[in-house]
Amino acid sequence: MSWVKVAPAADVAEGHAAAYEVAGRPLAICHSADGYYAIDDICTHDGGPLDQGRLDGNRIECPRHGAKFDIVSGKALTLPAVRPVRAYPTRVENGAIEVEIS
Ligand code: FES
């Protein structure tokens, strides 16, 4: 496992998410009042781009059919998604967002 630098922390404003490819994986980097979190950017219902969803606290809503996911755990909170997205350890080091990829 190793930490991969993703972007300057200032590039993802609080209350927003952004798409990045990290080690070949599409990730949604989410910035809530609690900090930065990284989840797979592919909704487990039908592949919707979660980074384009609305972030409300630590929940993000898929823009396609409205499933909500917990950005901390990746857990699917509402239908139509039932399977979690993968969540990755995330930190800020020297002003940069880093994600731990195994
Ligand atoms: S693709 Fe995300 S809820 Fe359907």
Side-chain angles (χ1 to χ4, degrees):
M1 300 219 275
S2 61
W3 289 95
V4 179
K5 190 175 289 189
V6 178
D11 284 7
V12 185
E14 186 175 322
H16 292 84
Y20 293 93
E21 187 169 306
V22 181
R25 303 175 198 208
L27 300 189
I29 304 294
C30 308
H31 185 185
S32 76
D34 293 335
Y36 293 84
Y37 299 93
I39 56 174
D40 277 335
D41 197 18
I42 301 173
C43 179
T44 55
H45 172 238
D46 195 26
L50 294 177
D51 70 282
Q52 294 174 30
R54 194 170 64 87
L55 188 59
D56 178 17
N58 286 339
R59 297 175 171 212
I60 198 159
E61 181 176 344
C62 179
R64 289 193 59 198
H65 311 108
K68 292 180 182 168
F69 294 88
D70 183 316
I71 62 171
V72 180
S73 67
K75 182 178 178 184
L77 301 171
T78 65
L79 295 172
V82 293
R83 288 177 292 120
V85 289
R86 186 169 174 186
Y88 300 82
T90 307
R91 69 184 184 187
V92 173
E93 285 284 304
N94 300 318
I97 302 164
E98 295 183 353
V99 175
E100 189 173 40
I101 299 284
S102 58

